[in-house]
Amino acid sequence: MHLIPFYVVDPELAAQETRVINLLARHGGVPAGSYGLFEFYCPDPDCDCRRVMLNVAEEKHPDRFLASISYGFDRDEDMAGPFLDSMNPQSRYATNLLQLVERLVLSNSRYVARLERHYALVKQAASDPRHPAYDRLQEVLADDARSFPVPEPISERPRVGRNDPCPCGSGKKYKHCCGRSGYRTQMNADERG
């Protein structure tokens, strides 16, 4: 599932509420600089994952994420986090950035409540065709559906009577071929040799 940046749903609010960590000096191996925490959410209105992916980028290179941190709002879940998401590339600073984010940002209950509000706004936008971001969210969902097609359901085989020809193509009656007691799997003719 592709996640959607919060600024796609509400650019103005995202600009006002994106958290930035300013390091005036090197800290725990992370160079001095300004690091933005860009929020990404699941756009599926039917999914109740209750998570945010915080992608950390340096101000000088906002398009290059240094750490992708998964955080679940339901704190009693096994995978609540925060943790570095293994599905995303991580920089050499990722572990130290995770520690900074955990200590300086995710320990703030007001900030976590803000993230939950943003999550709810994304889910609302994904459910409301009148929302300006609705079409974009639907595109993301459609792209995911094309990327991961749902397999066709396996139709049940028609019931074969004991005296009917065996469906494997042997020409024998089912009861003398694949329907023998203790041998319930059907074989292809070429498998029997």
Side-chain angles (χ1 to χ4, degrees):
M1 168 65 63
H2 288 93
L3 302 179
I4 194 103
F6 181 62
Y7 60 77
V8 167
V9 173
D10 195 329
E12 193 174 305
L13 187 61
Q16 294 170 7
E17 296 188 351
T18 294
R19 184 59 67 99
V20 175
I21 297 173
N22 292 307
L23 294 179
L24 302 177
R26 186 175 201 83
H27 183 79
V30 179
S34 294
Y35 298 89
L37 279 65
F38 297 98
E39 304 165 29
F40 284 67
Y41 297 95
C42 166
D44 185 350
D46 298 326
C47 176
D48 190 27
C49 56
R50 296 189 34 77
R51 304 190 75 69
V52 61
M53 182 73 67
L54 295 172
N55 288 303
V56 183
E58 188 178 15
E59 183 180 40
K60 296 175 191 173
H61 304 286
D63 56 336
R64 190 171 64 204
F65 298 140
L66 301 174
S68 292
I69 301 167
S70 181
Y71 183 79
F73 302 123
D74 298 323
R75 302 309 304 147
D76 56 340
E77 294 289 323
D78 289 338
M79 298 294 290
F83 59 85
L84 295 174
D85 187 86
S86 61
M87 301 292 286
N88 292 301
Q90 306 289 345
S91 75
R92 64 180 180 208
Y93 306 119
T95 301
N96 292 326
L97 285 167
L98 170 63
Q99 292 168 355
L100 279 171
V101 168
E102 189 171 14
R103 196 178 82 233
L104 300 175
V105 180
L106 294 174
S107 61
N108 181 330
S109 61
R110 288 178 44 207
Y111 177 71
V112 171
R114 177 190 298 171
L115 293 175
E116 284 193 76
R117 281 194 313 276
H118 294 180
Y119 169 84
L121 290 171
V122 170
K123 295 301 182 175
Q124 279 179 326
S127 300
D128 183 2
R130 296 167 300 178
H131 193 283
Y134 178 82
D135 289 337
R136 177 67 183 116
L137 298 175
Q138 293 305 307
E139 287 173 19
V140 170
L141 291 170
D143 285 347
D144 281 344
R146 282 191 289 275
S147 298
F148 303 102
V150 177
E152 290 289 323
I154 298 171
S155 60
E156 289 187 34
R157 292 189 174 127
R159 183 160 167 80
V160 179
R162 290 174 35 82
N163 291 316
D164 292 341
C166 189
C168 77
S170 67
K172 298 178 183 178
K173 289 184 177 182
Y174 181 70
K175 67 182 178 184
H176 294 297
C177 190
C178 293
R180 286 183 294 188
S181 178
Y183 185 63
R184 296 288 179 210
T185 60
Q186 293 185 354
M187 301 186 315
N188 292 327
D190 56 329
E191 286 179 300
R192 280 186 270 105

